[in-house]
Amino acid sequence: MSNNVLLDVRNLKLYFKTSKGPVQAVDNVSFQLERGKTLAVVGESGCGKTSLTKAILRLLPRNLERFEGEILLDGQDIMKLSDEQFRKEIRWVKLAMVPQAAMNSLNPVIKIEDQIAEPLLVHDRTMTKKQAIAKATEAFKLVGLPVDFLQRYPFELSGGMRQRATIAMALVTDPELVILDEPSSALDLLTQANLMNVLKKIKNEIHTTFILITHDIGTASELADEVAVMYAGEMVERCDAAHFYTNARHPYSRKLMASVPTLREDKELEFIPGQPPSLINPPSGCRFAARCEKKFGKCSEKPRNVELEGGQRVQCWLYDEMEEERHAQ
Ligand SMILES: Nc1ncnc2c1ncn2[C@@H]1O[C@H](COP(=O)(O)OP(=O)(O)OP(=O)(O)O)[C@@H](O)[C@H]1O
Ligand SMILES: [Mg+2]
């Protein structure tokens, strides 16, 4: 990959303590993201998407069991920073996030304008209120909201508008990377489509780097440059978004696609029988094996994450063997 890498995550682990044992929500996840690109992260509920974003932003719960790995942002290992340094220099300054269900977490008694300006005032002591409001107004325009709505309270905005306001709040500090956790999942279909258009427009206008968590593979392949598939705490595939429909290799990715309805073709929908394994003591081999039609002997061992042509990565023995054969020839 080129030296234009903004985010380089290596062997990231985030486990939570529970009475039944540690939950391996993020297990040895590694990936890189180039500056200005959008990575969509997809996968079934509970596979660790939100946990991955929390690990990157170091928003850790009290029942933390294990948090390790390397997270290089612009070459700097931000895992090595103290909590105070991380708070001052990284979170909301270089890394911002729109959390899952963010639109419902706006403060009901504070005007939108003040809420959007707040991250600026907190992180830059030299900034005046007037400058902060000017920046908030800019961010508001970027997400396509009428500026007079800045004077309103959250309840005076529709769900879609509130969601745009939370995106403005994440963008206001000009962060290098913005993580959006299911930005459209609580919205109706039309509002979802509008929001996706807004995100497309923002992407074109400001060239920020995004991680977009979504359940929706259609959105992912349309809006993102690359798609990462998570399964049971692991990142099992990483593929160019434009070719995801034709090139996704992991049997789970293929099943995931076959289970998504599309408007363009009239196909029989498949569903994936069975359930993901528990993340407390998950199987030591491939975590998808129990549901996989292509399972064979080797799958009882943990597959390596192999790189295929074009930088695509897949964690599945089927391709590992192919790679070995290719190299042996
Ligand atoms: N603080 C916590 N303590 C214990 N387990 C947790 C905690 N937070 C998350 N989990 C568990 O970790 C796993 C991953 O959860 P996570 O929220 O990251 O999944 P997700 O992919 O974002 O799911 P969804 O699509 O439903 O948002 C789940 O099994 C979840 O129950
Ligand atoms: Mg989530």
Side-chain angles (χ1 to χ4, degrees):
M1 195 169 281
S2 75
N3 55 9
N4 204 13
V5 172
L6 174 70
L7 183 72
D8 186 355
V9 173
R10 298 180 187 168
N11 303 316
L12 187 63
K13 283 190 179 155
L14 178 60
Y15 293 5
F16 306 118
K17 227 177 249 155
T18 70
S19 57
K20 297 193 180 115
V23 175
Q24 306 183 7
V26 178
D27 204 22
N28 261 322
V29 167
S30 300
F31 67 95
Q32 294 186 327
L33 181 56
E34 279 186 50
R35 200 179 300 278
K37 300 273 182 191
T38 296
L39 172 71
V41 180
V42 301
E44 274 163 289
S45 188
C47 67
K49 303 181 297 294
T50 296
S51 302
L52 175 65
T53 67
K54 291 198 170 159
I56 295 172
L57 269 118
R58 213 190 279 188
L59 296 167
L60 306 170
R62 287 213 186 143
N63 61 332
L64 180 68
E65 161 92 21
R66 209 161 153 182
F67 177 48
E68 59 187 51
E70 288 166 73
I71 303 176
L72 283 85
L73 182 69
D74 253 336
Q76 178 192 22
D77 188 353
I78 56 173
M79 290 284 278
K80 295 216 168 78
L81 298 177
S82 69
D83 285 346
E84 199 193 338
Q85 277 176 312
F86 193 90
R87 230 182 2 253
K88 272 197 184 150
E89 297 164 24
I90 306 293
R91 197 189 299 138
W92 307 132
V93 182
K94 291 188 173 178
L95 297 179
M97 156 142 132
V98 179
Q100 204 161 355
M103 65 187 204
N104 300 323
S105 61
L106 288 166
N107 190 325
V109 296
I110 299 179
K111 263 198 293 183
I112 298 285
E113 177 177 78
D114 293 326
Q115 295 196 55
I116 297 181
E118 192 190 80
L120 290 165
L121 295 169
V122 169
H123 288 285
D124 184 353
R125 293 277 153 82
T126 63
M127 187 165 289
T128 65
K129 178 98 194 258
K130 203 171 160 206
Q131 285 168 325
I133 297 285
K135 285 215 123 202
T137 309
E138 234 174 81
F140 218 59
K141 283 186 189 153
L142 190 63
V143 298
L145 287 173
V147 285
D148 52 317
F149 280 40
L150 276 164
Q151 301 307 319
R152 298 195 179 189
Y153 290 89
F155 72 89
E156 296 175 292
L157 268 61
S158 69
M161 287 179 168
R162 284 206 304 276
Q163 189 60 307
R164 289 193 207 189
T166 60
I167 295 171
M169 210 187 289
L171 293 171
V172 77
T173 52
D174 277 330
E176 297 191 43
L177 174 70
V178 178
I179 301 178
L180 303 158
D181 193 355
E182 310 240 15
S184 65
S185 63
L187 304 170
D188 64 75
L189 282 179
L190 192 61
T191 315
Q192 277 186 14
N194 283 337
L195 188 73
M196 287 307 139
N197 285 332
V198 170
L199 289 176
K200 259 191 209 162
K201 179 182 144 264
I202 295 173
K203 240 189 92 177
N204 290 335
E205 282 179 25
I206 59 171
H207 309 292
T208 306
T209 311
F210 288 99
I211 295 181
L212 172 70
I213 311 285
T214 172
H215 274 112
D216 180 355
I217 298 196
T219 306
S221 55
E222 212 177 306
L223 202 72
D225 300 291
E226 289 176 68
V227 179
V229 181
M230 284 193 71
Y231 186 77
E234 299 178 324
M235 195 174 273
V236 296
E237 179 146 28
R238 187 97 202 276
C239 178
D240 180 3
H243 301 112
F244 188 71
Y245 275 102
T246 46
N247 280 10
R249 292 281 175 260
H250 197 286
Y252 176 64
S253 310
R254 305 199 63 87
K255 279 283 179 196
L256 204 56
M257 266 187 301
S259 67
V260 177
T262 59
L263 292 175
R264 290 177 203 101
E265 51 177 326
D266 197 12
K267 62 173 186 188
E268 184 116 1
L269 289 188
E270 292 184 35
F271 80 107
I272 315 176
Q275 280 171 0
S278 158
L279 296 179
I280 301 169
N281 288 320
S284 57
C286 170
R287 292 184 180 179
F288 186 60
R291 300 169 85 185
C292 186
E293 290 166 354
K294 303 236 159 81
K295 172 174 76 174
F296 63 110
K298 266 219 132 141
C299 305
S300 58
E301 291 167 43
K302 183 166 293 288
R304 293 184 303 179
N305 199 301
V306 292
E307 183 165 347
L308 310 179
E309 276 157 69
Q312 184 172 355
R313 301 198 71 100
V314 58
Q315 188 167 318
C316 171
W317 282 115
L318 286 171
Y319 304 97
D320 201 311
E321 308 245 292
M322 265 172 30
E323 278 301 287
E324 271 173 22
E325 275 167 31
R326 219 157 48 110
H327 288 302
Q329 275 164 12

